[in-house]
Structures are given as C-alpha cells and as structure tokens.
Amino acid sequence: MTQVKPMRADARRNYERLLKAAAEAFAEHGEGASLDDIAKRAGVGSGTLYRHFPTRQALLEAAYVDRIKALSGRADELGRELPPGEALVAWLNELCVGIIQVRGMKALLGSAVTDDGVAAVTACGTHVRAAATRLVGAAQREGTLRADVEPIDVLRLVHGVATAAELANADGSGTRRYVSLLTEGLRPVRS
Amino acid sequence: MTQVKPMRADARRNYERLLKAAAEAFAEHGEGASLDDIAKRAGVGSGTLYRHFPTRQALLEAAYVDRIKALSGRADELGRELPPGEALVAWLNELCVGIIQVRGMKALLGSAVTDDGVAAVTACGTHVRAAATRLVGAAQREGTLRADVEPIDVLRLVHGVATAAELANADGSGTRRYVSLLTEGLRPVRS
DNA sequence: TCGTGAACCGGGGCCCTCTCCGTATCCTGT
DNA sequence: ACAGGATACGGAGAGGGCCCCGGTTCACGA
C-alpha cells in the first residue's frame, strides 16, 4: 500500500531534499512559508514540489509525520507508566507543547480533527486519533474522565487550548496552566 | 478623541461604503477576503481603502466594532437578569456563537487578547475585556468561579473553545456542549 | 465664483500559487 | 554497452493578492 512502484532514484532524492527544506522553512516562517522558496532551498523547480506534494497540507503532513508518530508513541509509554487519568493529562500537556513549539504542526493537527467529511483520513490524523482513543477509553473505565466525551472532542479541545496558550505566550510557557483549567474546569473545586 | 477634524464629505461617504463592503466580503469569504475586492465592491480605488484602514486588522475592527459593543452590552444585561455564575456561562455561550457565526470576528477577538505587547490596546479589546472583568469578578465573589483565573484567561479559553467547536461543526451547533466541557471540566462531576 | 490642498484613482511593482509541456534523466531489456 | 521508452524535471507564465505612488479631481471656505 505504501508505494506500489519504487520511485526513480532522482525522484526519491528530490523528495527527501524537499522534506528537509520544508521542515526548515516551516520552522523559520511558520506554516505560511513560501512554497516557491522551499523548492528553491531544495534546489528543485516548483513543478517538482507540486508533483510530490499537491497541497500545502500534504507537505506539512509529510514533513511532520515522524513527530506525530513519536507523540502517538508517547501516549502508550505514558499509559504504561501512569494511572490512566494522569497519563491522559500528561499526554495532553505534551501534545499541547508540541503543537506550540513546532510551528506548522498546529494547522496539521487541526485539520486532522476537522469534521469536513472530506480528506479527514490523513495518516497523521489516524495516528493521533488512535492514541487518544486508547488513553480516553482507559481513563473513562477508571472513572477519572467524564463518560460523555469522545476522543475527538478531547483532541479538538486541546487544539483550542493550545490556541489559547499561544495567545498568552508565544513560547507556550503557560501551557500547563491552561490545560489544567480545561481538565479541572472553571468552577471551584468542590471538596 | 474620536475625530479632531471633521472628515470631508466624500471621505466620509467612502469610509461608510468601505465598511459596508467589508462586512459583506468578510461574511462571504471569511477574514481572508481580498482587500482589492472590497475596494471594488465599494466603488473606490484600493489606495483609498489603504488610506482609511492601513491594515486588515484595522478594517476588521472598524467593521465589527458595533457587534462587539453589542456583545459587551449583553454582558451587563445578563448580569442583571441572572446570578453571576449563570450570567458568565450564558455570556460565554453567546460570545462563542458570535465568534463562529460572524466570520472574521474570531481573528479580531483573538488579537484583542494576544499578549504581544504591541497594539494590544484596540477599541474592541478594551470593551470585551471590560465586560469580561465585570462578570468574572462577580462570579468569583459569588464563589462559582475559581479565584485563580483572570478575565483574560477566560477570554482566551473561550476563543480556543470556539476554535474547537468550529472544527466540529462549521455552523457552530455544538458550541454549547464545548463551552460546558470547559466550565465543568473534563473530570466526572463529583457528587 | 474660484483657489487650494485634501482625498481619490488605478496602474504598476513585487510576491505568491499552481500548471503546462519541451527537455533531461533514468531504467530496462537485449 | 546501449537504445528507446517511461518517468521526472524545470522554469516560464497566467492569475491573483498586497500595497504604494504620482497625477488628477473635487469639496470647502472666502
């Protein structure tokens, strides 16, 4: 399923160089980085870029798929190390930090949890949703998470909280506080 | 303070037409609407648009300042009609719906609560922050809102929740649910 | 009515996205 | 080793957006 025909050598080379250039450019200028510029950095024509990655979304996804997989992997690690409820909170914190620190990942994860019926099936989205489903399910069985929320709700809310934290501090230092406001709620703790 | 020199008649006319055209265009195409197109709709040259509104932000603000004031006014109405805690929740819901339904207002309110140190003092931001401060203070005195949150935190989180609700449904029908997840928290209700 | 300067207009420079097709490069079978 | 087809490349160009500038128009006050 991955690649029925092996890519031609030059195609593969250009593909790799584009990914590297894209990661640099997105880190530098955010998700709006110029695609022509990325092509230039990679030393290829713009047509080549568009052949490999028909949309900006596709390029973003290819550039960050490793990081997304790593984050999804962390979900399982945390699930093994901590009780379900704490694992979920810890993972949400890491996710939030990742979204803010790695410029461009926000748009990617955002589109992964968008309900537009089309193209919702992205590789990144699948990984993240699967990870969230495991942690959410465990926490709900344990009773430390409301039973009426879906994994995708949690992901959307974290995306939102990351947006909020970003407004407060571009460096994401206040992330933890905002995540806890979400998990605990705005009401005072009832003793 | 508003306008030291009265505007020339044609300037005033063009200003008004631009605002009308802008409101239409933003409603139609979202906050990214083409500025040249707005100028064309208004029947003025693009230079005129840029003289009146040096930035897209300025135009957004001018186009929606009425709506923002209305929302801020609603805060006081609700404060009179309901107990503080309920008033705050009701207002947050209205705010959230407004952010989603009126395309373009999201960016505006977002920038109003951004901590970038520069240009944070916008007319819209001032109104909304003042309204939030009143409701938040009352709810905290009543004891139905955590004492450790600032009004601006609440506004940022609502902005984030609106983002989340938007991901779920472009029409904002699930807004109420997401707002309540924020106010109640993700933990189960402890009886 | 008329002079003056504020306000307008829209063309043009610059940058971005995305497509098209002639050309260069690679791969395979002999 | 090499011919020939398959594959990928490149970069110009169309289309559109942002924004500024210089000549022109027109509202206002005397």
Side-chain angles (χ1 to χ4, degrees):
Chain A
M1 171 67 210
T2 45
Q3 191 70 28
V4 248
K5 275 247 179 150
M7 288 173 96
R8 230 171 70 172
D10 53 347
R12 165 123 237 120
R13 191 169 55 242
N14 284 333
Y15 184 92
E16 305 289 0
R17 301 173 90 186
L18 278 168
L19 279 191
K20 193 150 160 279
E24 280 175 27
F26 286 138
E28 207 165 306
H29 302 113
E31 55 159 323
S34 156
L35 297 184
D36 268 14
D37 177 57
I38 290 176
K40 233 171 230 110
R41 280 183 198 234
V44 307
S46 52
T48 300
L49 187 157
Y50 286 101
R51 192 161 340 93
H52 285 301
F53 310 102
T55 65
R56 178 182 296 273
Q57 221 23 247
L59 181 54
L60 265 176
E61 174 150 357
Y64 289 127
V65 69
D66 285 352
R67 243 179 254 265
I68 299 284
K69 279 191 190 166
L71 273 173
S72 307
R74 275 297 285 165
D76 295 335
E77 274 181 51
L78 290 168
R80 264 179 264 116
E81 293 169 9
L82 298 170
E86 291 174 35
L88 178 61
V89 172
W91 187 62
L92 294 183
N93 270 299
E94 292 195 10
L95 198 53
C96 210
V97 169
I99 290 175
I100 291 178
Q101 283 185 345
V102 183
R103 304 180 61 172
M105 229 170 72
K106 194 172 142 217
L108 180 55
L109 282 174
S111 76
V113 293
T114 300
D115 178 39
D116 60 358
V118 188
V121 197
T122 63
C124 291
T126 307
H127 278 106
V128 172
R129 279 195 296 263
T133 301
R134 291 192 289 275
L135 286 183
V136 163
Q140 283 175 334
R141 280 191 296 280
E142 187 198 37
T144 43
L145 177 67
R146 294 167 63 136
D148 62 349
V149 297
E150 302 287 329
I152 199 152
D153 290 329
V154 174
L155 289 176
R156 285 183 188 136
L157 285 168
V158 164
H159 176 88
V161 166
T163 306
E166 209 173 22
L167 292 176
N169 281 306
D171 63 353
S173 56
T175 301
R176 195 159 213 93
R177 174 174 147 68
Y178 281 102
V179 171
S180 92
L181 286 177
L182 171 65
T183 56
E184 305 296 327
L186 293 178
R187 292 187 180 286
V189 175
R190 279 156 289 178
S191 54
Chain B
M1 167 74 207
T2 44
Q3 191 70 27
V4 245
K5 273 244 178 150
M7 290 172 95
R8 226 172 71 176
D10 53 346
R12 166 123 235 120
R13 191 171 54 241
N14 284 333
Y15 184 92
E16 304 288 1
R17 301 174 89 185
L18 279 168
L19 279 190
K20 193 149 161 279
E24 279 176 26
F26 286 138
E28 206 166 309
H29 301 113
E31 55 158 326
S34 157
L35 296 185
D36 273 16
D37 177 57
I38 291 176
K40 231 169 233 116
R41 281 183 196 234
V44 307
S46 51
T48 300
L49 187 156
Y50 289 102
R51 190 161 352 87
H52 284 302
F53 309 101
T55 65
R56 178 183 294 275
Q57 219 27 245
L59 181 53
L60 266 175
E61 174 150 356
Y64 289 128
V65 68
D66 284 352
R67 244 179 253 266
I68 299 282
K69 278 192 191 164
L71 273 173
S72 307
R74 273 299 283 165
D76 295 334
E77 275 180 50
L78 290 167
R80 265 178 264 117
E81 293 168 8
L82 298 169
E86 291 172 36
L88 178 61
V89 172
W91 187 61
L92 294 183
N93 270 299
E94 293 194 9
L95 198 53
C96 210
V97 168
I99 290 175
I100 291 178
Q101 284 184 346
V102 183
R103 305 180 63 173
M105 230 169 72
K106 194 173 142 216
L108 180 55
L109 283 174
S111 77
V113 294
T114 300
D115 178 37
D116 60 357
V118 188
V121 196
T122 62
C124 290
T126 306
H127 277 106
V128 172
R129 281 196 295 265
T133 302
R134 291 193 289 274
L135 286 182
V136 163
Q140 285 175 331
R141 280 191 296 280
E142 187 198 35
T144 43
L145 177 67
R146 294 168 61 138
D148 62 349
V149 298
E150 301 287 329
I152 200 153
D153 291 328
V154 174
L155 289 176
R156 285 182 188 138
L157 285 168
V158 163
H159 177 87
V161 165
T163 306
E166 208 172 23
L167 292 175
N169 281 305
D171 63 353
S173 55
T175 302
R176 196 160 212 94
R177 175 174 146 69
Y178 281 104
V179 171
S180 93
L181 285 177
L182 171 65
T183 55
E184 304 297 326
L186 292 178
R187 293 187 179 286
V189 176
R190 280 155 289 181
S191 54

